[in-house]
Amino acid sequence: MRVESTINAVRQRLCAGNIVAFTGAGISAESHVPTFRGTDGLWRNYSPESLATAEAFLSDPRLVWEWYDWLRGLIHAAEPNPGHLALAEIQKRSPERFTLITQNIDGLHQRAASRDVVKLHGDIWRLRCITCGREGRNDQVHMKHLPPLCRCGGTLRPAIVWFGEMLPEDEWIRAVKAAQSAKIFLVIGTSALVYPAAGLVRIAHESGSQVVIVNPDPTPADELARWLLRGTAGDILPRLI
Ligand code: OAD
């Protein structure tokens, strides 16, 4: 009953002012894409230092690619879930008032028909040459050659943000502007531990947004929340429409 009344309160506020949804790996959990830090999280079984840094890639590109090729296979087999679909529906109803910012690299928001997604951590379906910088889409599952090579002969890497790397500047600027002008800032399925992305919650809060957290577990961002919705994205988000 308490969750229901919070859902009603948030739903009413979605009608007034700009809405920002800020998502993390938890929104894809119900699509069977593992999160990073949960009980079965990817970083519980694999070390980020050996797979998600530029240093690791330069020292063993094939090993790093084997892991990302496996992850691409998992994501390819996944389908958007009701949480992704609900966000696409909210955007469809109020396109000019809605911004979706994601830390996810899986592309499931786009497959659920979300548009103009701000991708803070890049996209696992795009590859970038470490020699000439050329970037393009690649949907191959599984890849024929590891590591894949560019036309120039250079090695291609996933166009994602690894630990120690900068976020894409234009995406970050869009994200900060959206956070500053949000009336409602929905924080969905993120542990809110990875900066600078997690800093958007404070930026939104200090700019006067009402922060709503959708997560079955506590996070450090909870202290900034006006509304806490303890539950899964696939359950809660469709009820906000
Ligand atoms: P985490 O794995 O750190 O956190 C996932 C969050 O989702 C946790 O707080 C869970 O409680 C929550 N969660 C789990 N199932 C859920 C569900 N069904 N509905 C809603 N929430 C659920 O993932 P992120 O916060 O996204 O970086 O991690 C941030 C970044 O760290 C990622 O973008 C990734 C990683 O290293 C890159 O890929 C560059």
Side-chain angles (χ1 to χ4, degrees), residues 65 68 72 105-107 110 119 121-129 133-140 143 148 156-162 171:
W65 257 118
Y68 280 101
R72 282 164 55 110
I105 57 176
D106 57 27
Q110 292 83 345
K119 294 184 285 182
H121 290 165
D123 184 337
I124 201 170
W125 301 108
R126 294 185 69 78
L127 310 187
R128 187 170 69 245
C129 177
R134 188 180 292 131
E135 191 178 310
R137 193 170 169 91
N138 175 302
D139 290 316
Q140 206 176 86
M143 305 200 83
L156 291 164
R157 60 166 277 179
I160 61 179
V161 177
W162 279 327
E171 301 292 284

Side-chain angles (χ1 to χ4, degrees), residues 141-157:
V141 173
H142 290 277
M143 305 200 83
K144 288 205 182 75
H145 302 287
L146 294 180
L149 297 179
C150 177
R151 269 180 273 160
C152 79
T155 306
L156 291 164
R157 60 166 277 179

Side-chain angles (χ1 to χ4, degrees), residues 80-102:
N81 66 56
H84 297 107
L85 296 171
L87 292 182
E89 181 61 29
I90 294 172
Q91 181 177 39
K92 201 170 144 200
R93 293 181 187 197
S94 313
E96 68 297 335
R97 290 195 292 117
F98 181 86
T99 306
L100 174 55
I101 305 169
T102 191

Side-chain angles (χ1 to χ4, degrees), residues 24-27 29-30 35-38 43 103-105 121 161-163 188-192 194 214-219 231-234:
I27 195 168
E30 286 155 283
T35 62
F36 292 95
R37 295 176 183 78
W43 297 153
Q103 299 166 87
N104 297 349
I105 57 176
H121 290 165
V161 177
W162 279 327
F163 288 101
I188 304 157
T190 176
S191 59
V194 175
V214 180
N215 198 314
D217 297 316
T219 78
T232 70

Side-chain angles (χ1 to χ4, degrees), residues 208-222:
S209 310
Q210 293 189 358
V211 172
V212 182
I213 307 235
V214 180
N215 198 314
D217 297 316
T219 78
D222 291 4

